[in-house]
Amino acid sequence: METICGRDPASGAMLEILVAEGVVTGIRHGVCDADVWIAPGLVDLQVNGYSGIDLNSEACTVHDVCLLVRRLACLGTTTFLPTIITAPVAKMAACLKTIAEARAADAMVRHAIPCVHLEGPHISPLDGYRGAHAVEHVRPPSIEEFALLQAGCGNLIGMVTLSPHWVGSAEFVRALVGQGIVVSLGHTHATGEQIRAAAEAGARLSTHLGNGIAAELPRHPNPLWEQLAEDRLSACFIADGAHLSAATMRAMMRAKGFERCVLVSDAVALAGSPEGAYRADVGGEVVIGPDGAIRLRGSNLLAGSGIVLKDGVARVAAELSLGTALTMATSNPGAFVRARGVLRVGADADLITFRWRSGDTTLQVQDVMVRGRVMQQESEENLSR
């Protein structure tokens, strides 16, 4: 049996977590003294890549996926959904196949990646709403195409982002929900009626709300108000300081209700890279500016983010509270992927300890435990093998 200690971010109380055989076997209060916070491992529903590894590239290998899992774990993200964006069917299928093969080959990958998120291709074809997705590959919903992609990856797709403006969208949503797929609305110019119909059919989320939308909108109605007002939809937010201003994010979270807010990174392969011009599978020709934001060259359109989830948690903690921010990055997203991100007896021992003070722009992760295994003991040499 192992013991890991820290302060509860919600209450400040000291916690002693007992771990055996990869699960939490006990939680004791006030019995240890620690100068770190403790929380469940972070859960990220939207990861396109990180640290040079691009999940949307056909050059991505099984080894790359295994390495990405370990790198993100050491940064506190113990569960994440690889996110495959709008592309030709063959390319999407190839990317899905690589992830499926990595899960089959590596138990840690299998644990860290419960399913895959398809962001597209059934999104808005309109400029602005479409974001960095290639317009030539945007297409209407197709049950046949979805079945083909699922068959090729062993039913690994667990979340789909789409725009419900397409004819037959509600029926498509209902069919996916019937298969246990989480449907999220995003990159959409849909009307209020179409958004409500999708929610009635079982859609449960809004993908990076406030982004993937035109720069100028009617005051009302518009897709932002309609999704904020729809209580059947939780909302994902990218808290990198570029996708949403602090004031906008705070107001939208308050409108949606903190219990229905989810933080995502939307990290891409270029996350963490220095300023300059690059070529990327997500967005094509892109530029990283002084603020670390990744934009399409010659445009203000964003092409994913340059953060990992612990950075977003710190930004939201500065605006709200540490406990609230962590809930948005653990149990709230975890509810959409097999109840991950919880700290309770019987749960997987996916735990992080970290230091954070108001004003910090990231969590200073100290130790990471994945199913009872302390990841911080891994060397870079081992991570790269």
mmCIF file of all heavy atoms in Angstrom, residues 34 57 66 74 97 154-155 170 296 298 329 381:
data_model
loop_
_atom_site.group_PDB
_atom_site.id
_atom_site.type_symbol
_atom_site.label_atom_id
_atom_site.label_comp_id
_atom_site.label_asym_id
_atom_site.label_seq_id
_atom_site.Cartn_x
_atom_site.Cartn_y
_atom_site.Cartn_z
ATOM 1 N N ALA A 34 1.373 18.519 4.491
ATOM 2 C CA ALA A 34 2.004 18.611 3.170
ATOM 3 C C ALA A 34 1.912 20.037 2.665
ATOM 4 O O ALA A 34 0.981 20.780 3.003
ATOM 5 C CB ALA A 34 1.322 17.663 2.188
ATOM 6 N N SER A 57 -1.541 13.840 -38.219
ATOM 7 C CA SER A 57 -0.608 13.577 -39.302
ATOM 8 C C SER A 57 -0.553 12.083 -39.603
ATOM 9 O O SER A 57 -0.504 11.260 -38.689
ATOM 10 C CB SER A 57 0.793 14.068 -38.905
ATOM 11 O OG SER A 57 1.754 13.621 -39.840
ATOM 12 N N CYS A 66 2.220 6.558 -27.896
ATOM 13 C CA CYS A 66 2.665 6.080 -26.581
ATOM 14 C C CYS A 66 3.491 7.147 -25.864
ATOM 15 O O CYS A 66 3.342 7.358 -24.651
ATOM 16 C CB CYS A 66 3.472 4.797 -26.725
ATOM 17 S SG CYS A 66 2.528 3.397 -27.398
ATOM 18 N N CYS A 74 2.955 13.194 -17.352
ATOM 19 C CA CYS A 74 3.927 13.874 -16.499
ATOM 20 C C CYS A 74 3.589 15.346 -16.299
ATOM 21 O O CYS A 74 4.098 15.983 -15.377
ATOM 22 C CB CYS A 74 5.332 13.715 -17.078
ATOM 23 S SG CYS A 74 6.005 12.049 -16.862
ATOM 24 N N LYS A 97 -6.724 4.542 -36.891
ATOM 25 C CA LYS A 97 -6.112 3.212 -36.845
ATOM 26 C C LYS A 97 -4.826 3.231 -36.018
ATOM 27 O O LYS A 97 -4.562 2.310 -35.230
ATOM 28 C CB LYS A 97 -5.836 2.717 -38.263
ATOM 29 C CG LYS A 97 -5.282 1.300 -38.364
ATOM 30 C CD LYS A 97 -5.235 0.866 -39.825
ATOM 31 C CE LYS A 97 -4.716 -0.577 -39.950
ATOM 32 N NZ LYS A 97 -3.269 -0.656 -39.685
ATOM 33 N N GLY A 154 -12.075 -0.194 -34.418
ATOM 34 C CA GLY A 154 -12.578 -1.004 -33.317
ATOM 35 C C GLY A 154 -13.523 -0.264 -32.395
ATOM 36 O O GLY A 154 -13.476 -0.439 -31.177
ATOM 37 N N ASN A 155 -14.393 0.570 -32.980
ATOM 38 C CA ASN A 155 -15.400 1.323 -32.207
ATOM 39 C C ASN A 155 -14.768 2.243 -31.167
ATOM 40 O O ASN A 155 -15.277 2.388 -30.055
ATOM 41 C CB ASN A 155 -16.386 0.371 -31.533
ATOM 42 C CG ASN A 155 -17.203 -0.426 -32.530
ATOM 43 O OD1 ASN A 155 -17.740 0.139 -33.491
ATOM 44 N ND2 ASN A 155 -17.286 -1.724 -32.337
ATOM 45 N N ALA A 170 -30.638 16.171 -36.595
ATOM 46 C CA ALA A 170 -31.236 15.619 -35.374
ATOM 47 C C ALA A 170 -31.265 14.095 -35.432
ATOM 48 O O ALA A 170 -30.968 13.412 -34.445
ATOM 49 C CB ALA A 170 -32.642 16.178 -35.171
ATOM 50 N N LEU A 296 -3.576 31.070 -38.120
ATOM 51 C CA LEU A 296 -3.348 30.885 -39.542
ATOM 52 C C LEU A 296 -2.540 32.069 -40.063
ATOM 53 O O LEU A 296 -2.800 33.224 -39.694
ATOM 54 C CB LEU A 296 -4.671 30.794 -40.304
ATOM 55 C CG LEU A 296 -5.644 29.672 -39.917
ATOM 56 C CD1 LEU A 296 -6.803 29.650 -40.910
ATOM 57 C CD2 LEU A 296 -4.958 28.328 -39.888
ATOM 58 N N GLY A 298 -1.400 35.175 -41.909
ATOM 59 C CA GLY A 298 -2.157 36.236 -42.569
ATOM 60 C C GLY A 298 -3.578 36.365 -42.076
ATOM 61 O O GLY A 298 -4.401 37.026 -42.719
ATOM 62 N N ALA A 329 -11.763 20.629 -14.802
ATOM 63 C CA ALA A 329 -10.749 19.869 -15.538
ATOM 64 C C ALA A 329 -10.620 18.432 -15.044
ATOM 65 O O ALA A 329 -9.729 17.710 -15.491
ATOM 66 C CB ALA A 329 -9.392 20.567 -15.418
ATOM 67 N N GLU A 381 14.780 9.654 -21.018
ATOM 68 C CA GLU A 381 15.270 8.539 -21.833
ATOM 69 C C GLU A 381 14.201 7.437 -21.896
ATOM 70 O O GLU A 381 13.910 6.899 -22.963
ATOM 71 C CB GLU A 381 16.547 7.976 -21.241
ATOM 72 C CG GLU A 381 17.129 6.786 -22.029
ATOM 73 C CD GLU A 381 18.377 6.221 -21.380
ATOM 74 O OE1 GLU A 381 18.863 6.813 -20.406
ATOM 75 O OE2 GLU A 381 18.845 5.186 -21.880
#
